[in-house]
Amino acid sequence: MGRVMARHRTAAKAEARRRAPGDAGEAPPLRKSEATRLRILDAAARVFARRGYADTRLSDIAQEAGTFAGSIYYYFESREELVEEVLRLGVTGVFEAVRDKVEALPPGASYREKLTVAMETHLSFTLAENDFATANQRLFAQVPGEIRLRHIHVHRAYGNYWRRLLEGARRAGEIRRDIDLSVLRLQILGAINWTMEWYKPGKRSIEQIANQLATTVFDGVAAA
Amino acid sequence: MGRVMARHRTAAKAEARRRAPGDAGEAPPLRKSEATRLRILDAAARVFARRGYADTRLSDIAQEAGTFAGSIYYYFESREELVEEVLRLGVTGVFEAVRDKVEALPPGASYREKLTVAMETHLSFTLAENDFATANQRLFAQVPGEIRLRHIHVHRAYGNYWRRLLEGARRAGEIRRDIDLSVLRLQILGAINWTMEWYKPGKRSIEQIANQLATTVFDGVAAA
DNA sequence: ATCATAATCTAAATTAAATTAGAATATCAA
DNA sequence: TTGATATTCTAATTTAATTTAGATTATGAT
């Protein structure tokens, strides 16, 4: 009840927000329990990524974050809100990473290069760097339908980005006209997403996997 | 406690098994509550396929089967046993369908043909025909880790079948030698499995999707 | 028609979480 | 140092499901 809550909603970067000392009228200035909130969020992503939705208790998350199940409610309205925040940060993280890498390519880059970078970035971000991204992959299919519905638009935004990439590639004559781009897009993302289910670090590098995927998609595997 | 149980374990086809009237010594002869068991199993597959693990209650399944949550325990030890049976039947069904179709090909068939048929069969079986297959796809990633572990070998058997197909294709010179077959296999199955998440009947035929997948895999999408 | 046992139903017990409440503690401004 | 408020802890409550138990009804053999 007498909680802070809504204040913390915003996000992951903990924007600096000391208030100038005398601006009353405003809502009371914020302290930085933000650190704790972040710790909980990180812990949630980590545990969800590792164990999936069905195997994760709030108490597991609390323990991982060095606090208690009950305490989580100081920072999140509910288990759902926590899950959804993890989900959201997962997609937006991948999206931004992919877009940044693609835009960092030199102006003359071919679409093949762009798509290859996109695949590689998505893959490596998901596999190696970011518990939020991993958690998002795992969780999205596991989570109750209602939550999934509330998040579909975040996914769609990312999907649209890929759609534009592929359309560009076709316009540039780098993809045959008889290819159904929607199907292609979903096949590529499917192959990437599935990787998480089997990839174990060590044997093959993420780069190798990404490269083979790009090669397969563009050139196929047929000999001769 | 005074249940029947273990007797029903076997499977889905309800083997005929009237006893010859006078063979005592044997455990008491079986009646056909098998029909009910099957009804429950079908209902479970249907509901699990539609709503996923987290959204399915035993009471939902019971209702779909025209019985009651409590009654399920006459036929299954636990919710887990029910889930696992659905899971198992899901994989073996797809496996058998794929193998049958591939083996039904004329003797001279190329591996490209074999693989195309395999993709198409897996896809259409999963998408259109069989709630067990659909449920298996959905559930496998959603189910608690312990269950998944107990089922990994069933999946592995199916995976090995694909592995052999791809190795055959390579030996026959239909796949380039620089392709990592494990990665390829997982990419193909990933693309197929993901389809379930987005496919809506009507717009595109399953055959179209399968064909594009096969084309992409063998020839790639690059123009010229 | 009767009896034994199979099959089903109903309601209660159990279980395992999430959630709430409120006490205890820390922090920080005056 | 003190008081106010923010934060954290602990334990109790709630909730929603699975599971058990036992009563009830159907079925098939004699």
Side-chain angles (χ1 to χ4, degrees):
Chain A
M1 288 284 128
R3 302 292 182 56
V4 165
M5 288 289 25
R7 210 58 56 46
H8 294 288
R9 278 290 165 56
T10 6
K13 270 323 172 37
E15 324 111 60
R17 40 174 149 201
R18 278 355 331 271
R19 283 282 184 301
D23 61 357
E26 287 294 81
L30 288 184
R31 306 302 134 75
K32 60 317 191 321
S33 59
E34 315 233 334
T36 309
R37 189 187 139 95
L38 273 254
R39 241 174 43 240
I40 292 172
L41 220 34
D42 276 355
R46 199 153 45 247
V47 179
F48 276 130
R50 206 183 306 126
R51 332 229 316 221
Y53 190 71
D55 276 350
T56 298
R57 322 274 143 254
L58 278 192
S59 57
D60 300 328
I61 294 172
Q63 176 167 3
E64 178 87 10
T67 180
F68 300 83
S71 306
I72 292 177
Y73 287 82
Y74 185 71
Y75 303 95
F76 299 91
E77 294 264 353
S78 66
R79 176 188 154 98
E80 288 207 348
E81 186 185 302
L82 175 53
V83 171
E84 294 190 31
E85 188 71 354
V86 169
L87 243 30
R88 199 180 60 74
L89 293 172
V91 200
T92 56
V94 174
F95 191 174
E96 284 165 21
V98 169
R99 197 177 39 198
D100 289 354
K101 287 280 191 182
V102 170
E103 286 178 357
L105 247 25
S110 67
Y111 272 94
R112 176 168 184 150
E113 287 173 286
K114 287 182 186 171
L115 282 162
T116 302
V117 164
M119 292 182 209
E120 190 170 316
T121 307
H122 183 137
L123 205 52
S124 75
F125 202 82
T126 304
L127 253 34
E129 290 182 41
N130 193 296
D131 290 321
F132 288 89
T134 316
N136 175 66
Q137 293 298 4
R138 273 256 155 75
L139 260 43
F140 190 68
Q142 302 183 352
V143 116
E146 216 193 336
I147 296 184
R148 199 161 42 245
L149 280 182
R150 274 202 294 279
H151 276 264
I152 204 93
H153 70 279
V154 190
H155 281 247
R156 213 184 295 273
Y158 183 52
N160 284 338
Y161 177 75
W162 276 84
R163 187 195 312 281
R164 286 193 297 274
L165 272 185
L166 290 167
E167 283 168 356
R170 163 139 77 189
R171 262 198 312 278
E174 298 186 38
I175 290 180
R176 286 200 311 278
R177 305 208 74 80
D178 63 306
I179 297 294
D180 182 324
L181 293 187
S182 292
V183 173
L184 176 60
R185 171 171 54 86
L186 293 157
Q187 282 169 350
I188 293 173
L189 291 174
I192 293 180
N193 290 342
W194 188 250
T195 310
M196 231 196 44
E197 300 293 331
W198 55 266
Y199 177 75
K200 295 281 174 301
K203 183 156 184 174
R204 281 172 278 258
S205 75
I206 292 172
E207 205 196 354
Q208 276 179 307
I209 296 174
N211 277 337
Q212 168 155 326
L213 178 56
T215 308
T216 306
V217 165
F218 277 98
D219 303 325
V221 301
Chain B
M1 290 298 130
R3 304 288 184 58
V4 165
M5 290 288 27
R7 209 59 52 50
H8 292 286
R9 278 287 165 58
T10 3
K13 272 320 174 35
E15 324 112 59
R17 42 174 147 199
R18 289 334 347 265
R19 284 281 183 303
D23 62 358
E26 288 294 79
L30 289 183
R31 309 300 138 76
K32 59 320 192 310
S33 59
E34 317 234 331
T36 309
R37 188 187 140 94
L38 273 254
R39 240 175 42 240
I40 293 171
L41 221 34
D42 277 356
R46 198 153 46 247
V47 179
F48 276 131
R50 205 181 309 125
R51 334 231 310 223
Y53 191 70
D55 276 348
T56 298
R57 321 272 142 255
L58 279 191
S59 57
D60 300 327
I61 294 172
Q63 176 166 5
E64 178 87 11
T67 181
F68 299 84
S71 305
I72 293 179
Y73 287 82
Y74 185 72
Y75 305 95
F76 300 89
E77 293 265 352
S78 64
R79 176 186 153 101
E80 287 206 349
E81 187 185 302
L82 175 55
V83 172
E84 293 190 29
E85 188 70 354
V86 170
L87 243 28
R88 199 180 61 73
L89 293 172
V91 202
T92 58
V94 175
F95 190 174
E96 283 165 21
V98 168
R99 198 177 40 197
D100 289 354
K101 287 281 191 182
V102 170
E103 284 176 0
L105 249 22
S110 66
Y111 273 93
R112 176 168 183 152
E113 287 174 286
K114 287 182 187 173
L115 282 161
T116 302
V117 165
M119 293 182 210
E120 189 170 316
T121 307
H122 182 137
L123 205 52
S124 76
F125 202 81
T126 303
L127 254 33
E129 291 182 41
N130 190 298
D131 291 323
F132 288 89
T134 316
N136 175 68
Q137 292 299 4
R138 273 256 155 76
L139 261 44
F140 190 68
Q142 301 184 352
V143 114
E146 217 192 336
I147 297 184
R148 200 161 42 243
L149 279 181
R150 276 203 292 281
H151 275 264
I152 203 95
H153 70 279
V154 190
H155 282 247
R156 215 184 295 274
Y158 183 52
N160 284 337
Y161 177 76
W162 275 84
R163 187 195 312 283
R164 286 192 298 276
L165 272 186
L166 289 168
E167 282 167 356
R170 162 138 77 188
R171 263 197 313 278
E174 298 186 36
I175 289 180
R176 287 200 309 280
R177 307 207 73 79
D178 63 305
I179 296 294
D180 181 326
L181 293 187
S182 292
V183 173
L184 176 60
R185 172 171 53 86
L186 292 157
Q187 281 168 353
I188 293 173
L189 290 174
I192 294 180
N193 290 342
W194 189 250
T195 310
M196 231 196 45
E197 301 293 331
W198 55 265
Y199 177 75
K200 295 280 173 301
K203 182 154 187 178
R204 282 173 275 260
S205 75
I206 292 173
E207 204 196 355
Q208 275 178 306
I209 295 173
N211 278 337
Q212 169 156 329
L213 178 56
T215 308
T216 306
V217 166
F218 278 98
D219 304 325
V221 302

